[in-house]
């Protein structure tokens, strides 16, 4: 401010206090079972979060379950909370806000870790919060070539056994039927050969009758003698 009577000036710092404005680095987080999960929230406020690097009173994490919300802290096994604080400074070097990032790490994920987590930031003005979702996927089983080959062989054996059971149920006495089928085919072949021999003999009789004008009995004991005259 300036005075007209005397030359006097003074600078005043004007600061705007506001509650934490919270955003999630990622709202929906999906991890594989047994892996490391990291849930992060970022807040911008002035003044900064209370005791962020001392007792973590200004940063709180909760997990929602069927019975309500329970507080998550570093004392719980497989849970770890890390906070980082930076200053938001304008072009004149004036601190306009305090930026705080909090990351909740969960080791060795299991199905019980799946759910909704809430990060809460508190300063002297008020508080802000954000809800994050964590999904845990079942770990895929990767088969090695040896196990893959063994599985394929086992599948083939089971398929053959099922086929044998089906075939046996369809043909109750399939070995006997198979032998009868072979016998039937053998009998049919023998009959076919005998019929061919009889046909050849009949054709020979007809040929002899046509040439010499007479019929000679053709059997195994008698064969006609044809003269050269």
């Amino acid at each position: 401010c300036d005075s007209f009577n005397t030359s006097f000036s003074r600078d005043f710092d004007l600061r705007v206090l506001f509650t934490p404005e919270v955003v999630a680095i990622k709202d929906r987080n999906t991890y594989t079972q047994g892996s490391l999960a990291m849930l992060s929230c970022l807040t911008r406020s002035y003044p900064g979060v209370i005791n962020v690097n001392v007792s973590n009173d200004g940063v709180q994490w909760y997990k929602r379950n069927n019975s309500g919300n329970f507080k998550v802290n570093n004392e719980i096994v497989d849970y770890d909370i890390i906070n980082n604080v930076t200053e938001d400074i304008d072009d004149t070097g004036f601190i306009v806000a305090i930026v705080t990032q909090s990351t909740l790490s969960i080791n060795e994920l299991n199905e019980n870790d799946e759910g909704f987590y809430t990060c809460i930031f508190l300063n002297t003005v008020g508080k802000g919060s954000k809800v994050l979702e964590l999904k845990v996927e079942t770990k895929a089983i990767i088969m090695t070539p040896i196990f893959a080959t063994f599985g394929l062989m086992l599948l083939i054996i089971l398929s053959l056994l099922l086929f044998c059971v089906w075939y046996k149920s369809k043909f109750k006495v399939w070995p006997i039927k198979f032998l009868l089928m072979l016998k039937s085919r053998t009998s049919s072949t023998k009959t076919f050969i005998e019929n061919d021999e009889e046909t050849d003999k009949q054709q020979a009789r007809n040929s002899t009758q046509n040439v010499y004008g007479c019929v000679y009995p053709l059997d195994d004991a008698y064969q006609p003698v044809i003269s050269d005259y």
Side-chain angles (χ1 to χ4, degrees):
C1 62
D2 296 329
S3 174
F4 293 101
N5 297 327
T6 60
S7 177
F8 176 80
S9 66
R10 184 157 184 183
D11 295 330
F12 292 90
D13 290 338
L14 177 63
R15 294 184 179 275
V16 179
L17 309 181
F18 57 96
T19 59
E21 301 171 349
V22 185
V23 294
I25 302 300
K26 192 175 182 180
D27 293 329
R28 296 181 178 179
N29 303 266
T30 303
Y31 290 90
T32 306
Q33 185 177 0
S35 63
L36 170 66
M38 300 182 69
L39 309 179
S40 296
C41 285
L42 189 70
T43 183
R44 186 174 180 273
S45 64
Y46 197 89
V49 177
I50 303 172
N51 296 329
V52 64
N53 291 323
V54 181
S55 59
N56 290 333
D57 293 336
V59 180
Q60 299 176 6
W61 284 88
Y62 290 88
K63 183 180 184 300
R64 185 188 308 171
N65 54 23
N66 295 332
S67 59
N69 296 328
F70 72 89
K71 189 175 182 179
V72 177
N73 52 49
N74 291 330
E75 297 178 358
I76 302 177
V77 179
D78 295 333
Y79 285 82
D80 190 20
I81 299 175
I82 300 176
N83 302 316
N84 295 316
V85 181
T86 57
E87 296 177 344
D88 186 4
I89 303 175
D90 63 9
D91 296 336
T92 63
F94 187 76
I95 300 176
V96 295
I98 305 297
V99 179
T100 304
Q101 180 175 348
S102 181
T103 301
L104 171 63
S105 300
I106 307 175
N107 299 313
E108 298 294 331
L109 277 177
N110 56 61
E111 296 179 354
N112 296 328
D113 294 322
E114 188 173 82
F116 293 92
Y117 291 79
T118 304
C119 58
I120 301 176
F121 295 89
L122 299 94
N123 65 359
T124 56
V125 181
K127 68 177 181 178
S129 63
K130 187 68 177 180
V131 178
L132 296 84
E133 182 181 5
L134 174 62
K135 289 187 176 182
V136 179
E137 294 182 343
T138 304
K139 189 174 182 179
I141 300 176
I142 301 176
M143 295 184 63
T144 61
I146 296 177
F147 287 108
T149 304
F150 177 77
L152 181 60
M153 293 177 62
L154 184 61
L155 181 61
I156 294 174
I157 293 173
L158 290 176
S159 301
L160 290 175
L161 290 175
L162 291 175
F163 175 78
C164 291
V165 171
W166 170 82
Y167 193 85
K168 188 173 181 181
S169 63
K170 186 175 181 181
F171 305 98
K172 298 292 184 181
V173 286
W174 63 272
I176 298 176
K177 288 195 173 184
F178 180 74
L179 294 176
L180 291 176
M181 181 182 65
L182 290 178
K183 184 177 180 182
S184 176
R185 289 188 176 181
T186 305
S187 300
S188 300
T189 304
K190 183 177 180 181
T191 303
F192 179 76
I193 294 173
E194 292 176 352
N195 291 336
D196 284 347
E197 292 178 352
E198 186 65 28
T199 302
D200 292 340
K201 290 181 179 181
Q202 185 64 36
Q203 290 178 352
R205 291 191 186 97
N206 295 336
S207 176
T208 305
Q209 180 179 6
N210 292 334
V211 174
Y212 300 102
C214 59
V215 179
Y216 298 93
L218 296 178
D219 51 27
D220 296 337
Y222 174 79
Q223 292 294 335
V225 178
I226 303 175
S227 177
D228 294 334
Y229 293 91

mmCIF file of all heavy atoms in Angstrom, residues 15-50:
data_model
loop_
_atom_site.group_PDB
_atom_site.id
_atom_site.type_symbol
_atom_site.label_atom_id
_atom_site.label_comp_id
_atom_site.label_asym_id
_atom_site.label_seq_id
_atom_site.Cartn_x
_atom_site.Cartn_y
_atom_site.Cartn_z
ATOM 1 N N ARG A 15 -2.776 -15.409 0.766
ATOM 2 C CA ARG A 15 -2.846 -16.845 0.532
ATOM 3 C C ARG A 15 -4.296 -17.306 0.620
ATOM 4 O O ARG A 15 -5.035 -16.878 1.505
ATOM 5 C CB ARG A 15 -1.996 -17.615 1.542
ATOM 6 C CG ARG A 15 -0.511 -17.353 1.399
ATOM 7 C CD ARG A 15 0.299 -18.208 2.339
ATOM 8 N NE ARG A 15 1.735 -17.988 2.199
ATOM 9 C CZ ARG A 15 2.505 -18.584 1.314
ATOM 10 N NH1 ARG A 15 1.985 -19.467 0.465
ATOM 11 N NH2 ARG A 15 3.806 -18.315 1.243
ATOM 12 N N VAL A 16 -4.630 -18.199 -0.295
ATOM 13 C CA VAL A 16 -5.969 -18.780 -0.305
ATOM 14 C C VAL A 16 -5.871 -20.200 0.266
ATOM 15 O O VAL A 16 -5.141 -21.044 -0.253
ATOM 16 C CB VAL A 16 -6.547 -18.830 -1.735
ATOM 17 C CG1 VAL A 16 -7.925 -19.472 -1.715
ATOM 18 C CG2 VAL A 16 -6.602 -17.430 -2.326
ATOM 19 N N LEU A 17 -6.599 -20.423 1.339
ATOM 20 C CA LEU A 17 -6.615 -21.749 1.953
ATOM 21 C C LEU A 17 -7.750 -22.567 1.352
ATOM 22 O O LEU A 17 -8.868 -22.065 1.206
ATOM 23 C CB LEU A 17 -6.788 -21.628 3.465
ATOM 24 C CG LEU A 17 -5.834 -20.682 4.200
ATOM 25 C CD1 LEU A 17 -6.125 -20.703 5.705
ATOM 26 C CD2 LEU A 17 -4.390 -21.048 3.919
ATOM 27 N N PHE A 18 -7.471 -23.798 1.018
ATOM 28 C CA PHE A 18 -8.518 -24.651 0.439
ATOM 29 C C PHE A 18 -8.270 -26.103 0.839
ATOM 30 O O PHE A 18 -7.150 -26.509 1.163
ATOM 31 C CB PHE A 18 -8.596 -24.495 -1.085
ATOM 32 C CG PHE A 18 -7.313 -24.780 -1.810
ATOM 33 C CD1 PHE A 18 -7.062 -26.043 -2.364
ATOM 34 C CD2 PHE A 18 -6.332 -23.787 -1.944
ATOM 35 C CE1 PHE A 18 -5.886 -26.307 -3.034
ATOM 36 C CE2 PHE A 18 -5.153 -24.063 -2.621
ATOM 37 C CZ PHE A 18 -4.922 -25.315 -3.173
ATOM 38 N N THR A 19 -9.352 -26.836 0.828
ATOM 39 C CA THR A 19 -9.297 -28.247 1.224
ATOM 40 C C THR A 19 -8.608 -29.078 0.139
ATOM 41 O O THR A 19 -8.509 -28.641 -1.012
ATOM 42 C CB THR A 19 -10.709 -28.795 1.454
ATOM 43 O OG1 THR A 19 -11.453 -28.653 0.237
ATOM 44 C CG2 THR A 19 -11.421 -28.054 2.570
ATOM 45 N N PRO A 20 -8.143 -30.252 0.479
ATOM 46 C CA PRO A 20 -7.460 -31.093 -0.516
ATOM 47 C C PRO A 20 -8.367 -31.468 -1.682
ATOM 48 O O PRO A 20 -9.507 -31.902 -1.498
ATOM 49 C CB PRO A 20 -7.056 -32.333 0.301
ATOM 50 C CG PRO A 20 -6.985 -31.859 1.708
ATOM 51 C CD PRO A 20 -8.058 -30.838 1.842
ATOM 52 N N GLU A 21 -7.836 -31.281 -2.882
ATOM 53 C CA GLU A 21 -8.506 -31.716 -4.110
ATOM 54 C C GLU A 21 -7.837 -33.017 -4.544
ATOM 55 O O GLU A 21 -6.678 -33.013 -4.940
ATOM 56 C CB GLU A 21 -8.381 -30.641 -5.186
ATOM 57 C CG GLU A 21 -8.980 -29.298 -4.783
ATOM 58 C CD GLU A 21 -8.641 -28.205 -5.769
ATOM 59 O OE1 GLU A 21 -7.758 -28.452 -6.651
ATOM 60 O OE2 GLU A 21 -9.217 -27.113 -5.674
ATOM 61 N N VAL A 22 -8.582 -34.125 -4.491
ATOM 62 C CA VAL A 22 -7.990 -35.454 -4.662
ATOM 63 C C VAL A 22 -8.363 -36.024 -6.023
ATOM 64 O O VAL A 22 -9.521 -35.965 -6.444
ATOM 65 C CB VAL A 22 -8.448 -36.411 -3.543
ATOM 66 C CG1 VAL A 22 -7.730 -37.755 -3.665
ATOM 67 C CG2 VAL A 22 -8.205 -35.789 -2.171
ATOM 68 N N VAL A 23 -7.378 -36.588 -6.689
ATOM 69 C CA VAL A 23 -7.590 -37.319 -7.936
ATOM 70 C C VAL A 23 -6.843 -38.646 -7.825
ATOM 71 O O VAL A 23 -5.849 -38.766 -7.102
ATOM 72 C CB VAL A 23 -7.093 -36.536 -9.166
ATOM 73 C CG1 VAL A 23 -7.911 -35.278 -9.376
ATOM 74 C CG2 VAL A 23 -5.616 -36.214 -9.050
ATOM 75 N N ALA A 24 -7.341 -39.654 -8.530
ATOM 76 C CA ALA A 24 -6.690 -40.966 -8.548
ATOM 77 C C ALA A 24 -5.797 -41.079 -9.772
ATOM 78 O O ALA A 24 -6.165 -40.638 -10.870
ATOM 79 C CB ALA A 24 -7.733 -42.087 -8.560
ATOM 80 N N ILE A 25 -4.622 -41.653 -9.588
ATOM 81 C CA ILE A 25 -3.750 -41.887 -10.735
ATOM 82 C C ILE A 25 -4.438 -42.846 -11.714
ATOM 83 O O ILE A 25 -4.352 -42.687 -12.927
ATOM 84 C CB ILE A 25 -2.404 -42.467 -10.277
ATOM 85 C CG1 ILE A 25 -1.733 -41.505 -9.285
ATOM 86 C CG2 ILE A 25 -1.495 -42.736 -11.459
ATOM 87 C CD1 ILE A 25 -1.442 -40.137 -9.855
ATOM 88 N N LYS A 26 -5.162 -43.818 -11.164
ATOM 89 C CA LYS A 26 -5.937 -44.754 -11.965
ATOM 90 C C LYS A 26 -7.117 -45.233 -11.133
ATOM 91 O O LYS A 26 -6.931 -45.807 -10.065
ATOM 92 C CB LYS A 26 -5.056 -45.941 -12.394
ATOM 93 C CG LYS A 26 -5.680 -46.823 -13.447
ATOM 94 C CD LYS A 26 -4.689 -47.893 -13.892
ATOM 95 C CE LYS A 26 -5.283 -48.768 -14.984
ATOM 96 N NZ LYS A 26 -4.330 -49.825 -15.426
ATOM 97 N N ASP A 27 -8.331 -44.990 -11.636
ATOM 98 C CA ASP A 27 -9.531 -45.335 -10.862
ATOM 99 C C ASP A 27 -9.724 -46.842 -10.737
ATOM 100 O O ASP A 27 -10.058 -47.345 -9.661
ATOM 101 C CB ASP A 27 -10.781 -44.707 -11.497
ATOM 102 C CG ASP A 27 -10.767 -43.190 -11.386
ATOM 103 O OD1 ASP A 27 -10.202 -42.699 -10.398
ATOM 104 O OD2 ASP A 27 -11.298 -42.517 -12.276
ATOM 105 N N ARG A 28 -9.540 -47.546 -11.835
ATOM 106 C CA ARG A 28 -9.737 -48.997 -11.842
ATOM 107 C C ARG A 28 -8.395 -49.681 -12.074
ATOM 108 O O ARG A 28 -7.740 -49.438 -13.077
ATOM 109 C CB ARG A 28 -10.746 -49.402 -12.920
ATOM 110 C CG ARG A 28 -12.145 -48.862 -12.674
ATOM 111 C CD ARG A 28 -13.110 -49.302 -13.755
ATOM 112 N NE ARG A 28 -14.461 -48.833 -13.509
ATOM 113 C CZ ARG A 28 -15.496 -49.058 -14.293
ATOM 114 N NH1 ARG A 28 -15.330 -49.769 -15.415
ATOM 115 N NH2 ARG A 28 -16.693 -48.589 -13.994
ATOM 116 N N ASN A 29 -8.038 -50.535 -11.142
ATOM 117 C CA ASN A 29 -6.741 -51.194 -11.177
ATOM 118 C C ASN A 29 -6.940 -52.707 -11.213
ATOM 119 O O ASN A 29 -7.670 -53.260 -10.387
ATOM 120 C CB ASN A 29 -5.912 -50.814 -9.948
ATOM 121 C CG ASN A 29 -5.723 -49.314 -9.829
ATOM 122 O OD1 ASN A 29 -4.735 -48.766 -10.285
ATOM 123 N ND2 ASN A 29 -6.688 -48.628 -9.212
ATOM 124 N N THR A 30 -6.274 -53.369 -12.163
ATOM 125 C CA THR A 30 -6.372 -54.821 -12.309
ATOM 126 C C THR A 30 -4.970 -55.418 -12.242
ATOM 127 O O THR A 30 -4.079 -55.012 -12.990
ATOM 128 C CB THR A 30 -7.032 -55.206 -13.645
ATOM 129 O OG1 THR A 30 -8.330 -54.595 -13.723
ATOM 130 C CG2 THR A 30 -7.188 -56.722 -13.747
ATOM 131 N N TYR A 31 -4.819 -56.397 -11.348
ATOM 132 C CA TYR A 31 -3.529 -57.061 -11.169
ATOM 133 C C TYR A 31 -3.748 -58.572 -11.116
ATOM 134 O O TYR A 31 -4.844 -59.043 -10.819
ATOM 135 C CB TYR A 31 -2.826 -56.597 -9.896
ATOM 136 C CG TYR A 31 -2.322 -55.171 -9.942
ATOM 137 C CD1 TYR A 31 -3.130 -54.106 -9.537
ATOM 138 C CD2 TYR A 31 -1.039 -54.883 -10.395
ATOM 139 C CE1 TYR A 31 -2.672 -52.801 -9.576
ATOM 140 C CE2 TYR A 31 -0.567 -53.580 -10.445
ATOM 141 C CZ TYR A 31 -1.391 -52.538 -10.030
ATOM 142 O OH TYR A 31 -0.935 -51.242 -10.079
ATOM 143 N N THR A 32 -2.654 -59.297 -11.372
ATOM 144 C CA THR A 32 -2.704 -60.756 -11.326
ATOM 145 C C THR A 32 -2.440 -61.245 -9.911
ATOM 146 O O THR A 32 -1.670 -60.642 -9.164
ATOM 147 C CB THR A 32 -1.662 -61.361 -12.290
ATOM 148 O OG1 THR A 32 -1.871 -60.807 -13.594
ATOM 149 C CG2 THR A 32 -1.798 -62.875 -12.349
ATOM 150 N N GLN A 33 -3.094 -62.332 -9.557
ATOM 151 C CA GLN A 33 -2.918 -62.918 -8.234
ATOM 152 C C GLN A 33 -1.444 -63.241 -7.976
ATOM 153 O O GLN A 33 -0.753 -63.812 -8.797
ATOM 154 C CB GLN A 33 -3.764 -64.185 -8.108
ATOM 155 C CG GLN A 33 -3.752 -64.816 -6.739
ATOM 156 C CD GLN A 33 -4.677 -66.015 -6.680
ATOM 157 O OE1 GLN A 33 -5.314 -66.367 -7.660
ATOM 158 N NE2 GLN A 33 -4.758 -66.636 -5.526
ATOM 159 N N GLY A 34 -0.963 -62.849 -6.785
ATOM 160 C CA GLY A 34 0.417 -63.085 -6.404
ATOM 161 C C GLY A 34 1.374 -61.969 -6.772
ATOM 162 O O GLY A 34 2.543 -62.005 -6.376
ATOM 163 N N SER A 35 0.903 -60.959 -7.507
ATOM 164 C CA SER A 35 1.771 -59.865 -7.933
ATOM 165 C C SER A 35 1.721 -58.709 -6.923
ATOM 166 O O SER A 35 1.060 -58.790 -5.893
ATOM 167 C CB SER A 35 1.365 -59.374 -9.320
ATOM 168 O OG SER A 35 0.047 -58.845 -9.292
ATOM 169 N N LEU A 36 2.420 -57.628 -7.250
ATOM 170 C CA LEU A 36 2.453 -56.426 -6.418
ATOM 171 C C LEU A 36 1.497 -55.392 -6.998
ATOM 172 O O LEU A 36 1.602 -55.035 -8.175
ATOM 173 C CB LEU A 36 3.873 -55.857 -6.354
ATOM 174 C CG LEU A 36 4.028 -54.478 -5.708
ATOM 175 C CD1 LEU A 36 3.681 -54.536 -4.228
ATOM 176 C CD2 LEU A 36 5.447 -53.946 -5.911
ATOM 177 N N ALA A 37 0.570 -54.893 -6.163
ATOM 178 C CA ALA A 37 -0.391 -53.885 -6.599
ATOM 179 C C ALA A 37 -0.013 -52.534 -6.003
ATOM 180 O O ALA A 37 0.438 -52.452 -4.859
ATOM 181 C CB ALA A 37 -1.801 -54.264 -6.174
ATOM 182 N N MET A 38 -0.204 -51.482 -6.797
ATOM 183 C CA MET A 38 0.105 -50.125 -6.338
ATOM 184 C C MET A 38 -1.069 -49.214 -6.666
ATOM 185 O O MET A 38 -1.418 -49.024 -7.834
ATOM 186 C CB MET A 38 1.396 -49.620 -6.996
ATOM 187 C CG MET A 38 2.619 -50.484 -6.700
ATOM 188 S SD MET A 38 4.149 -49.864 -7.442
ATOM 189 C CE MET A 38 4.398 -48.372 -6.473
ATOM 190 N N LEU A 39 -1.695 -48.661 -5.626
ATOM 191 C CA LEU A 39 -2.815 -47.728 -5.765
ATOM 192 C C LEU A 39 -2.333 -46.345 -5.350
ATOM 193 O O LEU A 39 -1.767 -46.184 -4.265
ATOM 194 C CB LEU A 39 -3.992 -48.162 -4.895
ATOM 195 C CG LEU A 39 -4.457 -49.621 -5.041
ATOM 196 C CD1 LEU A 39 -5.612 -49.908 -4.087
ATOM 197 C CD2 LEU A 39 -4.870 -49.910 -6.472
ATOM 198 N N SER A 40 -2.558 -45.353 -6.212
ATOM 199 C CA SER A 40 -2.010 -44.014 -5.952
ATOM 200 C C SER A 40 -3.086 -42.946 -6.048
ATOM 201 O O SER A 40 -3.958 -42.991 -6.936
ATOM 202 C CB SER A 40 -0.875 -43.691 -6.931
ATOM 203 O OG SER A 40 0.209 -44.565 -6.751
ATOM 204 N N CYS A 41 -2.996 -41.978 -5.118
ATOM 205 C CA CYS A 41 -3.860 -40.802 -5.125
ATOM 206 C C CYS A 41 -2.987 -39.545 -5.046
ATOM 207 O O CYS A 41 -1.905 -39.555 -4.438
ATOM 208 C CB CYS A 41 -4.817 -40.807 -3.938
ATOM 209 S SG CYS A 41 -6.175 -41.986 -4.107
ATOM 210 N N LEU A 42 -3.465 -38.474 -5.647
ATOM 211 C CA LEU A 42 -2.737 -37.210 -5.683
ATOM 212 C C LEU A 42 -3.655 -36.102 -5.192
ATOM 213 O O LEU A 42 -4.820 -36.019 -5.602
ATOM 214 C CB LEU A 42 -2.266 -36.922 -7.108
ATOM 215 C CG LEU A 42 -1.311 -35.753 -7.300
ATOM 216 C CD1 LEU A 42 0.053 -36.083 -6.711
ATOM 217 C CD2 LEU A 42 -1.175 -35.426 -8.787
ATOM 218 N N THR A 43 -3.125 -35.250 -4.300
ATOM 219 C CA THR A 43 -3.935 -34.150 -3.788
ATOM 220 C C THR A 43 -3.184 -32.832 -3.896
ATOM 221 O O THR A 43 -1.946 -32.794 -3.821
ATOM 222 C CB THR A 43 -4.337 -34.380 -2.317
ATOM 223 O OG1 THR A 43 -5.182 -33.306 -1.887
ATOM 224 C CG2 THR A 43 -3.127 -34.448 -1.421
ATOM 225 N N ARG A 44 -3.945 -31.792 -4.076
ATOM 226 C CA ARG A 44 -3.402 -30.430 -4.135
ATOM 227 C C ARG A 44 -4.184 -29.586 -3.137
ATOM 228 O O ARG A 44 -5.415 -29.487 -3.227
ATOM 229 C CB ARG A 44 -3.544 -29.894 -5.557
ATOM 230 C CG ARG A 44 -2.901 -28.551 -5.821
ATOM 231 C CD ARG A 44 -2.994 -28.213 -7.299
ATOM 232 N NE ARG A 44 -2.391 -26.939 -7.616
ATOM 233 C CZ ARG A 44 -3.034 -25.772 -7.547
ATOM 234 N NH1 ARG A 44 -4.319 -25.729 -7.179
ATOM 235 N NH2 ARG A 44 -2.407 -24.636 -7.847
ATOM 236 N N SER A 45 -3.463 -28.975 -2.199
ATOM 237 C CA SER A 45 -4.151 -28.239 -1.128
ATOM 238 C C SER A 45 -3.222 -27.166 -0.555
ATOM 239 O O SER A 45 -2.016 -27.155 -0.810
ATOM 240 C CB SER A 45 -4.582 -29.191 -0.020
ATOM 241 O OG SER A 45 -3.447 -29.768 0.606
ATOM 242 N N TYR A 46 -3.865 -26.294 0.213
ATOM 243 C CA TYR A 46 -3.076 -25.354 1.014
ATOM 244 C C TYR A 46 -3.870 -25.023 2.280
ATOM 245 O O TYR A 46 -5.021 -24.619 2.178
ATOM 246 C CB TYR A 46 -2.759 -24.058 0.255
ATOM 247 C CG TYR A 46 -1.625 -23.311 0.928
ATOM 248 C CD1 TYR A 46 -0.314 -23.561 0.575
ATOM 249 C CD2 TYR A 46 -1.894 -22.377 1.935
ATOM 250 C CE1 TYR A 46 0.727 -22.909 1.198
ATOM 251 C CE2 TYR A 46 -0.856 -21.718 2.571
ATOM 252 C CZ TYR A 46 0.454 -21.989 2.207
ATOM 253 O OH TYR A 46 1.497 -21.352 2.835
ATOM 254 N N PRO A 47 -3.268 -25.207 3.428
ATOM 255 C CA PRO A 47 -1.917 -25.732 3.667
ATOM 256 C C PRO A 47 -1.835 -27.213 3.307
ATOM 257 O O PRO A 47 -2.808 -27.816 2.908
ATOM 258 C CB PRO A 47 -1.719 -25.511 5.166
ATOM 259 C CG PRO A 47 -3.100 -25.559 5.720
ATOM 260 C CD PRO A 47 -3.994 -24.954 4.679
ATOM 261 N N GLY A 48 -0.636 -27.744 3.474
ATOM 262 C CA GLY A 48 -0.420 -29.131 3.108
ATOM 263 C C GLY A 48 -1.102 -30.093 4.055
ATOM 264 O O GLY A 48 -1.734 -29.719 5.046
ATOM 265 N N VAL A 49 -0.978 -31.353 3.731
ATOM 266 C CA VAL A 49 -1.583 -32.407 4.538
ATOM 267 C C VAL A 49 -0.914 -32.461 5.911
ATOM 268 O O VAL A 49 0.302 -32.279 6.045
ATOM 269 C CB VAL A 49 -1.460 -33.760 3.811
ATOM 270 C CG1 VAL A 49 -2.007 -34.891 4.659
ATOM 271 C CG2 VAL A 49 -2.179 -33.704 2.480
ATOM 272 N N ILE A 50 -1.721 -32.718 6.935
ATOM 273 C CA ILE A 50 -1.227 -32.715 8.311
ATOM 274 C C ILE A 50 -0.273 -33.877 8.545
ATOM 275 O O ILE A 50 -0.594 -35.027 8.245
ATOM 276 C CB ILE A 50 -2.412 -32.811 9.297
ATOM 277 C CG1 ILE A 50 -3.388 -31.660 9.052
ATOM 278 C CG2 ILE A 50 -1.932 -32.821 10.733
ATOM 279 C CD1 ILE A 50 -4.672 -31.794 9.851
#
